[in-house]
Amino acid sequence: MPRRQKLRYDGDDYTPKWVRYTGHLKEGYCDSCNPGKWLQLKNSAYWYHKQFYHGISSVSGKSFMKPLEQRMGKGDMIEGLCHQCRRFVPACNGKKKNNFMLWYRHAHKCHLYDKPKATSKSSRKLSVSHKGVA
């Protein structure tokens, strides 16, 4: 039976709002997909999917910054200028124009983010005390 899960803080786009099952079978619902889909949490399928298909950082809970500018690279490759390292890096294969997985992989390794604080101490205690239950 799916159940609502508290977000780490207001505006957290990474944490699944809905989860089901428990232990190694626990799944999180990706509401960024249309239609939404369930992905396993224990084997990092949800983590991988949110970061590299939707470009949402697990650290900040926000979308990765987009390239400052884009240019055509070798072949069909589109390159993006990174705000952090100031280099052009592969962002997208021209054959799959809306697939920015290469950019998201770079952003995950390179971009620095402040980790937001939990909404309140009481909600943090609640989530810690229920870890063994879920």
Side-chain angles (χ1 to χ4, degrees), residues 2-97:
R3 60 195 179 281
R4 197 122 173 96
Q5 177 172 271
K6 286 191 181 234
L7 301 179
R8 297 175 294 180
Y9 61 90
D10 290 334
D12 180 1
D13 293 329
Y14 172 79
T15 303
K17 293 172 185 73
W18 292 93
V19 293
R20 68 180 181 185
Y21 311 133
T22 59
H24 71 282
L25 297 176
K26 189 173 180 182
E27 295 179 333
Y29 186 74
C30 178
D31 56 2
S32 301
C33 285
N34 189 12
K37 68 163 127 182
W38 293 97
L39 296 149
Q40 212 172 2
L41 295 171
K42 190 70 173 177
N43 69 3
S44 300
Y46 182 86
W47 174 87
Y48 185 91
H49 179 80
K50 284 295 254 192
Q51 291 212 137
F52 302 134
Y53 282 89
H54 298 298
I56 298 172
S57 168
S58 63
V59 176
S60 71
K62 299 287 181 199
S63 295
F64 292 118
M65 281 190 69
K66 304 238 182 283
L68 295 175
E69 63 180 88
Q70 294 180 23
R71 71 180 187 192
M72 287 304 296
K74 294 179 181 175
D76 287 340
M77 190 64 65
I78 297 170
E79 297 177 330
L81 178 61
C82 175
H83 75 283
Q84 193 76 46
C85 66
R86 308 303 268 178
R87 294 184 310 161
F88 276 96
V89 296
C92 167
N93 182 323
K95 292 175 184 156
K96 297 180 180 177
K97 295 214 185 300

